[in-house]
Amino acid sequence: MIIQLKQEVSDSQKEKLIARINEIGYKVTEVKTQMGDYLIGIGKTEFDIRKVGHLEGIQDIHIVSDDYKLVSKKWKVKPTCIDLGGGVTIKDGDMAIMAGPCSIESEEQILDVIGHLKENGIRMMRGGVFKPRSSPYAFRGLGMEGLRLWYQHAKAAGIKIVTEVMQVSQIEEMHDYVDVFQVGARNTQNFNLLDELGKIDKAVLIKRGISGTIEELLQSAEYVFSGGNEKLILCERGIRTYERASRNTLDLNAVPILKSKSHLPVVVDPSHGIGIRDFVAQMALSGVMSGADGIIYEVHRDPDKAYSDGQQTLNFAQSALLAEQIRKTFAMRKSFALL
Amino acid sequence: MIIQLKQEVSDSQKEKLIARINEIGYKVTEVKTQMGDYLIGIGKTEFDIRKVGHLEGIQDIHIVSDDYKLVSKKWKVKPTCIDLGGGVTIKDGDMAIMAGPCSIESEEQILDVIGHLKENGIRMMRGGVFKPRSSPYAFRGLGMEGLRLWYQHAKAAGIKIVTEVMQVSQIEEMHDYVDVFQVGARNTQNFNLLDELGKIDKAVLIKRGISGTIEELLQSAEYVFSGGNEKLILCERGIRTYERASRNTLDLNAVPILKSKSHLPVVVDPSHGIGIRDFVAQMALSGVMSGADGIIYEVHRDPDKAYSDGQQTLNFAQSALLAEQIRKTFAMRKSFALL
Amino acid sequence: MIIQLKQEVSDSQKEKLIARINEIGYKVTEVKTQMGDYLIGIGKTEFDIRKVGHLEGIQDIHIVSDDYKLVSKKWKVKPTCIDLGGGVTIKDGDMAIMAGPCSIESEEQILDVIGHLKENGIRMMRGGVFKPRSSPYAFRGLGMEGLRLWYQHAKAAGIKIVTEVMQVSQIEEMHDYVDVFQVGARNTQNFNLLDELGKIDKAVLIKRGISGTIEELLQSAEYVFSGGNEKLILCERGIRTYERASRNTLDLNAVPILKSKSHLPVVVDPSHGIGIRDFVAQMALSGVMSGADGIIYEVHRDPDKAYSDGQQTLNFAQSALLAEQIRKTFAMRKSFALL
Amino acid sequence: MIIQLKQEVSDSQKEKLIARINEIGYKVTEVKTQMGDYLIGIGKTEFDIRKVGHLEGIQDIHIVSDDYKLVSKKWKVKPTCIDLGGGVTIKDGDMAIMAGPCSIESEEQILDVIGHLKENGIRMMRGGVFKPRSSPYAFRGLGMEGLRLWYQHAKAAGIKIVTEVMQVSQIEEMHDYVDVFQVGARNTQNFNLLDELGKIDKAVLIKRGISGTIEELLQSAEYVFSGGNEKLILCERGIRTYERASRNTLDLNAVPILKSKSHLPVVVDPSHGIGIRDFVAQMALSGVMSGADGIIYEVHRDPDKAYSDGQQTLNFAQSALLAEQIRKTFAMRKSFALL
């Protein structure tokens, strides 16, 4: 159960509310985000709204029985819009495109990709400066130095930065240089990291876990939201199955299901989703048709020389064509009625 | 290794060829289909074409090291076209639509669905008369009686029949009434059934196994093909994973991968693929964008009263809209260049 | 709901019972096995036993809400004992050992293995004469000729035959030569085959599907049982997961779960369960400790020369040692109390 | 390739070695642990030992082509023994028992469990003070206060503490109170945490990821080892599959496979592995027979009142019986020869 409090709620009103809910046998967690103040009540019996509805300080009450409450569509019917400033948004009814290399490799590469994005009207650049690698002996990224270089050029070009944060201690140092913090598929259930990302005012893109369920993705988002940060984006990137012909199994079923359960925007990552360069475009366009609010993919001037993930990375010509096709496909989807 | 024989090859030429291949240490299987005569050689060393290339009776030789040979694109670059007659085809570069109820229930229902299909320009009707059910106490279909009724009305309307065959003994009795024999997901590796379907001259649609790999689907097709029947259609219908929010996990990655490996047409079943009526349309259109040559879905006048699978079945209005959107999406896909 | 009928029930009593159950809104299926006569009622409301309990012809009534009813422990508390004659049984509280080659290859091999089994007190021999192979070009077994040879020598040695039946048409020809019909992992949901096996009086060992759930295995057993054959054995043989270091993932959890849900005996196949010869023994002994009523494994005089599955087949020395360790481990398990 | 350096190696010898290996085209990572000094060479061509073997400072050279090198059995044939002091060890050829509640709940509960362990000769106590919870509204553990209380009583009783660390910042504060740091199944690929645990001198128990492969578990161990800490224990605790009848699928295949690939000890967690109290004992004993070096399970005086995981937690009587049966089963396993 979620009680959305009035903006002008007084402390004594809140205390009375909490006491009353406790009396009914519900445990209360107070959640303050940058946009509102909520009381989350958890209990085992059915909740009778009439028992608190008359108290002061309440804006609205919602019965939500899912394990994820604040990210549920059941109380917030209006979709969440993520506004990165400068006219760049990720939201329902629109098509965000995020593209860039797997790893940030050098200043030259940064400029190269930014040039490609600008030419194609893409306003968000993805790339890794801290790389999670299953082998300790592999390239682990350029780190803060790479991020600062990237920031300098991205800012000048009006491009927003989407990049992975791997641990709590990085949040502070990365904060000023990042527009969207990405939580990787291996960190989807790193609850301390999620807690800390709940305390900042930057957008957070959460990738579905390598074998995470749709419900677990929503619960991970609930962590960040209940920590205070409402600026969340969900990302389907393929799951682990027994199939070996592709790197992961892109689960596009997740897109309409997530959209029906949550008010948060959903993006699709076809590069990791299939892991084979020649088929990334088909999967991206399939993702558009499944109802995604955005596509995030990997691009590099010379994929075969990329430091990582080259086999699933598009070259500039492929990327330019794909961006155009994504937009056309999205325009057609928008024109379609749903019954 | 595949040796395609000349149409006018003599028996003595063939014997010489086989003897020569055996000498090289390869095991030979002769395959005669309605369209050609092949020698399949299986061996452990690399095959040196020059050692047989000069012999008589050879049309063409292809080195194919996959476990599936005859269905591989490596020797047959031209895509297979399945022609059901009356202008109804399933083929690369086209968009076949197959729709109908999960179960054939009554003459009234047959006429009802046929009417709906005709109105919407759909020429192939799916439906089950023998139903595989995990519980022995559930409805098992109308059987041959239902099929004969269906055939009578479908024929009159110029509609082709796609229906599941569950066992060898049914093939003969069903044969004259069926245009496309469907092999269900639980029978994908029923090798005796596949063997027998190799001996007939009707098209066969093979569904991917409930947890079958892409390679196993191709090997199952190889069974039918090597039995003598080249009229094969592959079908992605979702696989079993740990995810519980959908009935199956529709694996659209399989579409471009199958299309790149085989010359056979590939269709997508979004109804079983997601199992939730409200999202079937999105998954169908995603399937179109993934590169499918056709879509097969479930439709019923009153899905909530359907004998089976109602929760994933579209009503007539939804189906009419979807058929139109499938065609528009396909037209757009066709207009797209690929790099 | 299951109504077990009295042995001397009259037709009119049965009709009255069926009519009454129909009145209550339940669908009735009558099941006659070699051991009893049952009415299975399926309905959506809770069943009130008092509404039929007074009628004549009833031996006992059991409320069973699972999808599998006749194989459930809820109505039949006493475990099923499979008696193959000659003192060979498979039953709860005992430890059956079945061993033999993957494929029956020759008379010499048959004699060889029988000799090994006799020396080690093993009374059941497994082996394939019809082999399901994913490639149509692979060795498919010696067929009926091999079975007849095998039967002749097995009978003389007092050894029971466990072998796979792949299709309905084989049942009749194999019938007289087989003690236990095995349903392979690719046929667990071949419902026609299960139906037909319900009509015979030989024991049936059903392997869990390659990605079958525990519940599906029980439902497949229900098919055979409701067809009339109560002589059933369930077999855990590993499931398909994402893990690639072993051939399958042996799911020993399934053993106590199956034993708690059903009155049927459960055996474990460690050879397919792990697929690596060096570790078959550990998995067999783990299977014993998990509560299995039997172990079925592959053995061959010279595994590296076996026609199939050599990499998971024990040699005679390994097999002799394992049989002894299985018995010792089982004896210890039997001595353990459970809380 | 691993070069184990002599203890007395000089800096200039090391520099020469590194230069030489670089010349050959290999990348070198130097690894210093508390027990030795190694050079790890990674390259794409085959390594010719003769090209460096004559240089000074080398103790030994091993060709290891796996992605995990230092944890591989290929260079270190002797199994690793983890010595926690006071006569408590985890090692090959022995049977460690670790038991305790899911969550540390109160001082009373700590004393209660310690009493139970002492009575049954169990020297290691597991328990969580920081709890990873998928819902942000669930109980998250007593934290450092709970740990300090626990430490005080465990020390007095001669009991070793096994507890989960969730993030880098906790390592330092927990360090003095912990004997074995546990890395949970959601953190198996939290590479920053693994890096930091490489810098300490306490033992680390790494659980297999929720859907982690055997190879990924070894690579995670490689992270810690290459960070400098050789005191590692691997733990099989069940993986995520499609099966819903158990909480996880305990993969006992992993035990002999891990033991054959690595010199590290392997323990099995049957509580999470099956998730059903009544079957934990069978799975524990199966784990012993699979070759495990230890069993870790959950116990509580009153499982139904436990704060978490009650459904898979044994009571004291069950635990006492299990500990005895584990020892007897292990004694029998030890008496068995392997062929």
Side-chain angles (χ1 to χ4, degrees):
Chain A
M1 178 261 305
I2 300 174
I3 297 183
Q4 201 172 351
L5 300 173
K6 285 200 175 140
Q7 232 178 322
E8 67 277 12
V9 66
S10 72
D11 283 358
S12 74
Q13 285 172 341
K14 231 191 285 185
E15 277 163 32
K16 271 188 207 156
L17 265 166
I18 293 175
R20 183 75 190 107
I21 302 170
N22 283 335
E23 261 176 56
I24 297 169
Y26 269 55
K27 193 177 149 271
V28 183
T29 306
E30 187 180 351
V31 170
K32 273 190 195 198
T33 74
Q34 282 120 22
M35 297 178 196
D37 196 351
Y38 313 88
L39 299 179
I40 311 299
I42 312 277
K44 285 179 182 172
T45 55
E46 217 171 311
F47 193 81
D48 183 348
I49 286 182
R50 291 166 302 178
K51 288 186 178 164
V52 294
H54 59 284
L55 293 175
E56 286 171 290
I58 295 175
Q59 173 82 24
D60 216 344
I61 303 185
H62 313 268
I63 301 297
V64 180
S65 57
D66 301 309
D67 273 347
Y68 45 92
K69 300 193 182 297
L70 290 162
V71 303
S72 170
K73 214 172 185 167
K74 289 190 188 154
W75 76 276
K76 192 177 171 217
V77 180
K78 214 179 132 216
T80 290
C81 167
I82 309 297
D83 189 341
L84 302 181
V88 182
T89 56
I90 300 114
K91 64 176 178 189
D92 183 83
D94 206 349
M95 182 49 54
I97 302 182
M98 308 171 185
C102 178
S103 300
I104 296 298
E105 297 170 2
S106 66
E107 184 162 18
E108 193 196 345
Q109 181 225 34
I110 291 169
L111 287 165
D112 207 25
V113 174
I114 286 179
H116 166 71
L117 300 183
K118 292 215 69 157
E119 262 175 51
N120 291 282
I122 300 171
R123 303 285 306 277
M124 286 171 271
M125 178 168 163
R126 59 145 289 150
V129 292
F130 296 108
K131 300 299 303 172
R133 302 304 294 267
S134 45
S135 163
Y137 311 119
F139 174 63
R140 300 206 198 175
L142 292 186
M144 281 308 299
E145 200 181 343
L147 181 57
R148 277 185 290 259
L149 257 177
W150 182 11
Y151 172 74
Q152 178 193 320
H153 295 300
K155 200 179 175 194
I159 297 273
K160 302 298 173 185
I161 287 182
V162 182
T163 197
E164 179 166 354
V165 59
M166 284 179 66
Q167 60 176 325
V168 170
S169 68
Q170 292 165 345
I171 297 176
E172 200 178 330
E173 55 178 357
M174 293 173 74
H175 183 274
D176 292 351
Y177 308 104
V178 171
D179 297 287
V180 180
F181 279 98
Q182 178 180 312
V183 175
R186 288 183 190 81
N187 271 321
T188 308
Q189 295 200 308
N190 182 334
F191 301 122
N192 298 112
L193 184 62
L194 299 174
D195 270 346
E196 291 303 311
L197 290 168
K199 298 178 185 163
I200 63 170
D201 61 348
K202 291 286 174 82
V204 176
L205 181 151
I206 309 181
K207 290 205 160 189
R208 185 174 178 185
I210 285 178
S211 65
T213 63
I214 290 171
E215 182 158 331
E216 285 171 347
L217 177 56
L218 290 167
Q219 288 182 328
S220 292
E222 184 82 7
Y223 255 89
V224 184
F225 200 122
S226 69
N229 186 354
E230 300 196 1
K231 295 177 188 158
L232 288 167
I233 304 157
L234 305 174
C235 179
E236 163 59 35
R237 47 77 72 199
I239 58 173
R240 175 170 282 176
T241 69
Y242 62 83
E243 178 58 61
R244 305 175 185 201
S246 50
R247 180 173 177 182
N248 291 296
T249 296
L250 185 65
D251 178 14
L252 291 180
N253 283 349
V255 178
I257 294 174
L258 284 169
K259 295 285 297 174
S260 73
K261 287 181 185 290
S262 174
H263 51 79
L264 299 173
V266 176
V267 305
V268 165
D269 173 351
S271 305
H272 289 83
I274 189 161
I276 304 166
R277 191 189 306 156
D278 284 353
F279 309 139
V280 166
Q282 286 98 312
M283 289 303 113
L285 301 177
S286 299
V288 173
M289 273 304 175
S290 72
D293 304 312
I295 301 293
I296 178 166
Y297 66 85
E298 292 183 340
V299 62
H300 191 282
R301 174 178 292 281
D302 189 350
D304 292 326
K305 293 197 180 143
Y307 285 17
S308 48
D309 276 357
Q311 78 292 344
Q312 68 191 31
T313 300
L314 302 184
N315 63 33
F316 286 177
Q318 291 169 323
S319 165
L321 189 62
L322 177 56
E324 190 196 316
Q325 293 177 349
I326 286 173
R327 291 183 186 115
K328 282 185 185 166
T329 302
F330 175 65
M332 172 168 279
R333 185 187 98 197
K334 250 184 120 165
S335 77
F336 283 172
L338 273 180
L339 280 191
Chain B
M1 177 261 305
I2 299 173
I3 298 183
Q4 201 173 350
L5 299 172
K6 284 201 176 138
Q7 233 178 320
E8 67 277 12
V9 67
S10 73
D11 282 357
S12 74
Q13 285 172 339
K14 230 192 286 185
E15 275 162 35
K16 270 187 206 157
L17 266 167
I18 293 175
R20 182 77 190 106
I21 303 170
N22 284 334
E23 261 176 57
I24 297 170
Y26 269 55
K27 193 177 149 271
V28 182
T29 306
E30 186 179 354
V31 170
K32 273 191 195 196
T33 75
Q34 283 119 21
M35 298 178 196
D37 197 351
Y38 313 88
L39 299 179
I40 311 298
I42 312 278
K44 285 179 181 169
T45 53
E46 218 170 312
F47 192 83
D48 183 349
I49 287 181
R50 292 166 302 179
K51 289 185 177 164
V52 294
H54 59 282
L55 293 174
E56 285 171 289
I58 295 176
Q59 173 83 23
D60 214 344
I61 303 184
H62 312 267
I63 301 298
V64 179
S65 57
D66 301 309
D67 274 345
Y68 44 93
K69 301 196 181 295
L70 290 162
V71 303
S72 170
K73 212 172 187 167
K74 289 189 187 153
W75 75 275
K76 192 178 171 216
V77 180
K78 212 179 135 219
T80 289
C81 167
I82 310 296
D83 190 342
L84 303 181
V88 182
T89 55
I90 301 114
K91 65 177 177 188
D92 184 82
D94 205 348
M95 180 51 52
I97 303 183
M98 309 171 184
C102 178
S103 300
I104 297 299
E105 297 170 4
S106 67
E107 184 163 19
E108 193 195 346
Q109 182 225 33
I110 291 168
L111 288 166
D112 207 25
V113 173
I114 286 180
H116 165 72
L117 299 182
K118 292 214 67 156
E119 261 174 52
N120 291 282
I122 300 171
R123 303 285 308 275
M124 285 170 270
M125 178 167 163
R126 56 146 291 151
V129 293
F130 296 108
K131 300 299 302 172
R133 303 304 294 267
S134 45
S135 164
Y137 310 119
F139 174 65
R140 301 207 199 175
L142 292 186
M144 280 308 298
E145 199 180 343
L147 181 57
R148 278 186 290 258
L149 257 176
W150 181 13
Y151 172 73
Q152 176 192 321
H153 295 299
K155 199 178 175 196
I159 297 274
K160 303 298 174 185
I161 287 182
V162 182
T163 196
E164 179 164 355
V165 58
M166 283 179 68
Q167 61 176 322
V168 170
S169 68
Q170 292 166 345
I171 296 176
E172 200 178 331
E173 54 178 357
M174 294 173 73
H175 183 272
D176 292 351
Y177 308 104
V178 169
D179 297 288
V180 180
F181 279 97
Q182 179 180 312
V183 175
R186 288 183 190 80
N187 271 321
T188 309
Q189 295 199 308
N190 183 333
F191 301 123
N192 298 111
L193 184 61
L194 299 174
D195 270 345
E196 291 304 311
L197 290 169
K199 298 177 185 163
I200 63 170
D201 62 348
K202 291 286 174 82
V204 177
L205 181 150
I206 309 181
K207 289 206 161 189
R208 183 173 179 186
I210 286 179
S211 64
T213 62
I214 289 170
E215 182 158 332
E216 284 170 348
L217 178 55
L218 290 167
Q219 287 182 328
S220 292
E222 184 83 7
Y223 255 89
V224 184
F225 200 121
S226 69
N229 186 353
E230 301 196 1
K231 296 177 188 160
L232 288 167
I233 305 157
L234 306 173
C235 179
E236 163 60 34
R237 47 77 71 199
I239 58 172
R240 177 168 280 175
T241 69
Y242 63 82
E243 178 58 60
R244 305 174 185 201
S246 50
R247 181 173 177 182
N248 292 297
T249 297
L250 185 65
D251 178 15
L252 292 180
N253 283 350
V255 178
I257 293 173
L258 284 169
K259 294 284 298 173
S260 73
K261 288 182 184 290
S262 175
H263 51 79
L264 299 173
V266 176
V267 304
V268 166
D269 174 350
S271 304
H272 289 84
I274 188 161
I276 304 167
R277 189 188 308 156
D278 285 354
F279 309 139
V280 166
Q282 285 99 311
M283 287 304 111
L285 301 177
S286 299
V288 174
M289 274 303 177
S290 73
D293 304 313
I295 301 292
I296 179 166
Y297 66 86
E298 292 183 339
V299 62
H300 192 281
R301 175 178 291 281
D302 189 349
D304 293 327
K305 293 198 181 143
Y307 286 16
S308 49
D309 276 0
Q311 77 292 344
Q312 70 190 30
T313 300
L314 301 184
N315 63 33
F316 286 177
Q318 291 169 323
S319 165
L321 189 62
L322 177 57
E324 189 195 318
Q325 293 176 349
I326 287 173
R327 292 185 186 112
K328 283 186 184 165
T329 302
F330 174 65
M332 172 169 276
R333 185 188 98 196
K334 250 185 119 166
S335 76
F336 283 172
L338 273 180
L339 280 192
Chain C
M1 179 260 305
I2 299 173
I3 297 183
Q4 200 172 350
L5 299 172
K6 285 200 175 139
Q7 231 177 321
E8 67 279 11
V9 67
S10 73
D11 281 359
S12 75
Q13 285 172 340
K14 231 192 284 185
E15 275 162 35
K16 270 188 207 154
L17 265 166
I18 293 175
R20 184 74 191 109
I21 303 170
N22 284 335
E23 261 176 58
I24 298 170
Y26 269 55
K27 194 177 149 272
V28 182
T29 305
E30 187 181 350
V31 169
K32 274 191 195 195
T33 74
Q34 283 119 18
M35 298 177 197
D37 196 352
Y38 313 89
L39 299 179
I40 312 297
I42 311 277
K44 285 179 180 168
T45 54
E46 217 170 311
F47 193 82
D48 183 348
I49 287 182
R50 293 165 301 178
K51 288 184 179 164
V52 293
H54 60 284
L55 293 175
E56 286 172 288
I58 296 176
Q59 172 85 23
D60 215 344
I61 304 185
H62 312 268
I63 301 297
V64 180
S65 57
D66 301 309
D67 274 347
Y68 45 92
K69 299 191 183 296
L70 290 162
V71 302
S72 170
K73 213 172 186 167
K74 289 190 188 154
W75 76 276
K76 192 178 170 214
V77 180
K78 210 177 137 221
T80 289
C81 167
I82 309 297
D83 189 342
L84 302 180
V88 182
T89 56
I90 301 115
K91 64 176 178 189
D92 184 83
D94 205 349
M95 180 51 52
I97 302 183
M98 308 171 184
C102 178
S103 301
I104 297 299
E105 297 171 2
S106 67
E107 183 163 16
E108 190 195 348
Q109 181 225 33
I110 291 169
L111 287 166
D112 207 22
V113 173
I114 285 179
H116 166 71
L117 299 183
K118 290 215 69 156
E119 262 175 50
N120 291 282
I122 300 171
R123 303 285 307 275
M124 287 170 269
M125 177 167 164
R126 58 145 291 151
V129 292
F130 296 108
K131 300 300 302 172
R133 304 304 296 265
S134 46
S135 164
Y137 310 119
F139 174 63
R140 300 207 199 176
L142 292 187
M144 280 308 299
E145 199 180 343
L147 181 57
R148 277 185 290 257
L149 257 178
W150 182 12
Y151 172 74
Q152 176 193 320
H153 296 299
K155 202 179 170 194
I159 297 272
K160 303 297 172 184
I161 288 184
V162 182
T163 195
E164 179 164 356
V165 58
M166 283 179 68
Q167 60 177 325
V168 170
S169 68
Q170 293 165 345
I171 296 176
E172 201 179 328
E173 54 177 356
M174 294 173 74
H175 183 273
D176 292 349
Y177 307 104
V178 170
D179 298 287
V180 180
F181 279 98
Q182 178 180 313
V183 176
R186 289 182 189 81
N187 270 322
T188 309
Q189 295 199 308
N190 183 334
F191 301 122
N192 296 112
L193 184 62
L194 300 174
D195 271 345
E196 292 304 311
L197 290 169
K199 297 177 187 162
I200 63 169
D201 61 348
K202 291 285 174 84
V204 177
L205 181 150
I206 309 180
K207 289 205 160 189
R208 185 174 179 185
I210 286 180
S211 65
T213 62
I214 290 170
E215 182 158 333
E216 285 170 349
L217 177 55
L218 290 167
Q219 288 182 328
S220 293
E222 184 82 6
Y223 255 89
V224 184
F225 200 121
S226 69
N229 186 353
E230 301 196 0
K231 294 178 188 157
L232 288 167
I233 304 157
L234 306 173
C235 179
E236 163 60 33
R237 47 75 73 199
I239 58 172
R240 176 169 280 175
T241 69
Y242 63 83
E243 178 57 61
R244 304 175 186 200
S246 51
R247 181 174 177 182
N248 291 297
T249 297
L250 184 65
D251 178 14
L252 291 180
N253 283 349
V255 179
I257 294 174
L258 284 169
K259 295 284 298 173
S260 73
K261 287 180 186 292
S262 175
H263 51 80
L264 299 173
V266 176
V267 305
V268 165
D269 173 350
S271 305
H272 289 85
I274 190 161
I276 304 167
R277 189 189 308 157
D278 285 354
F279 309 139
V280 166
Q282 285 99 312
M283 288 303 112
L285 301 177
S286 300
V288 174
M289 273 303 176
S290 74
D293 304 313
I295 300 294
I296 179 167
Y297 65 87
E298 292 182 341
V299 62
H300 191 282
R301 174 177 293 279
D302 189 351
D304 292 327
K305 293 197 180 142
Y307 285 16
S308 48
D309 277 359
Q311 77 292 343
Q312 68 191 30
T313 299
L314 301 185
N315 63 34
F316 286 177
Q318 291 169 323
S319 166
L321 189 61
L322 178 56
E324 188 196 318
Q325 293 177 348
I326 287 174
R327 291 184 186 115
K328 283 186 186 167
T329 302
F330 174 65
M332 171 168 278
R333 186 189 98 197
K334 250 185 119 166
S335 76
F336 283 173
L338 273 181
L339 281 191
Chain D
M1 177 261 305
I2 300 174
I3 298 184
Q4 200 173 351
L5 299 173
K6 285 201 175 138
Q7 230 177 324
E8 67 278 11
V9 67
S10 71
D11 282 358
S12 74
Q13 285 172 340
K14 230 191 285 187
E15 275 162 34
K16 270 187 208 156
L17 266 166
I18 293 174
R20 184 73 190 108
I21 303 170
N22 284 335
E23 261 176 57
I24 298 170
Y26 269 54
K27 194 177 149 270
V28 183
T29 306
E30 186 181 352
V31 169
K32 274 192 195 194
T33 74
Q34 283 119 20
M35 298 177 197
D37 197 351
Y38 312 89
L39 298 180
I40 312 298
I42 312 277
K44 285 179 182 169
T45 55
E46 216 170 312
F47 193 83
D48 183 348
I49 286 182
R50 293 166 301 178
K51 287 185 179 166
V52 293
H54 59 285
L55 293 175
E56 287 172 286
I58 295 176
Q59 172 84 23
D60 214 344
I61 303 184
H62 313 268
I63 301 298
V64 180
S65 58
D66 302 309
D67 273 347
Y68 46 90
K69 299 191 182 300
L70 290 162
V71 302
S72 170
K73 211 170 186 169
K74 290 190 188 153
W75 75 276
K76 193 179 170 214
V77 180
K78 212 178 136 220
T80 289
C81 167
I82 309 297
D83 190 341
L84 303 180
V88 182
T89 55
I90 300 115
K91 64 176 179 189
D92 184 82
D94 205 349
M95 180 50 54
I97 303 183
M98 309 172 184
C102 178
S103 300
I104 296 299
E105 298 171 3
S106 66
E107 184 163 17
E108 192 196 346
Q109 181 226 32
I110 292 169
L111 287 167
D112 208 22
V113 173
I114 286 180
H116 165 72
L117 298 184
K118 290 214 69 156
E119 262 174 51
N120 292 283
I122 300 171
R123 304 287 306 277
M124 286 171 269
M125 177 168 163
R126 56 146 290 150
V129 293
F130 297 109
K131 300 299 303 172
R133 303 303 294 266
S134 46
S135 163
Y137 310 120
F139 174 64
R140 299 208 200 174
L142 291 186
M144 281 307 298
E145 201 181 342
L147 181 57
R148 276 186 290 257
L149 257 176
W150 182 11
Y151 172 73
Q152 177 192 320
H153 295 299
K155 200 179 173 194
I159 297 273
K160 303 297 173 184
I161 287 182
V162 182
T163 196
E164 179 165 355
V165 59
M166 285 179 66
Q167 61 176 323
V168 171
S169 68
Q170 291 165 346
I171 297 176
E172 200 178 330
E173 53 178 357
M174 292 173 74
H175 183 273
D176 292 350
Y177 307 104
V178 170
D179 296 288
V180 180
F181 279 98
Q182 178 181 312
V183 175
R186 290 183 188 81
N187 270 322
T188 308
Q189 295 198 308
N190 182 333
F191 301 122
N192 298 112
L193 184 62
L194 299 174
D195 271 345
E196 291 304 312
L197 289 169
K199 298 177 186 163
I200 63 169
D201 61 349
K202 290 286 173 82
V204 177
L205 181 151
I206 309 181
K207 290 204 160 188
R208 185 173 177 185
I210 285 179
S211 64
T213 63
I214 289 169
E215 181 157 333
E216 285 170 347
L217 177 56
L218 290 168
Q219 288 182 327
S220 292
E222 184 82 7
Y223 255 90
V224 184
F225 200 121
S226 69
N229 186 354
E230 301 196 0
K231 295 177 188 158
L232 286 168
I233 305 157
L234 306 174
C235 179
E236 163 59 34
R237 47 76 72 197
I239 58 173
R240 177 170 280 175
T241 68
Y242 62 82
E243 178 57 62
R244 304 176 186 199
S246 51
R247 181 174 178 181
N248 292 295
T249 296
L250 184 66
D251 178 14
L252 291 180
N253 283 349
V255 178
I257 295 174
L258 284 169
K259 294 285 298 174
S260 73
K261 288 181 183 291
S262 175
H263 52 78
L264 298 174
V266 176
V267 303
V268 165
D269 174 350
S271 305
H272 289 83
I274 189 162
I276 304 167
R277 191 189 306 157
D278 285 353
F279 309 138
V280 166
Q282 285 98 313
M283 288 303 113
L285 300 178
S286 300
V288 173
M289 273 304 177
S290 73
D293 304 313
I295 301 292
I296 179 167
Y297 65 86
E298 292 183 340
V299 61
H300 192 281
R301 174 178 292 281
D302 189 351
D304 292 327
K305 292 197 180 143
Y307 286 16
S308 50
D309 276 358
Q311 78 292 343
Q312 69 190 31
T313 300
L314 302 184
N315 64 34
F316 285 177
Q318 291 169 323
S319 165
L321 189 61
L322 178 56
E324 190 196 319
Q325 294 177 348
I326 287 174
R327 291 184 187 115
K328 283 186 185 165
T329 303
F330 174 65
M332 171 168 278
R333 186 187 98 197
K334 251 183 117 166
S335 76
F336 283 172
L338 274 180
L339 280 192

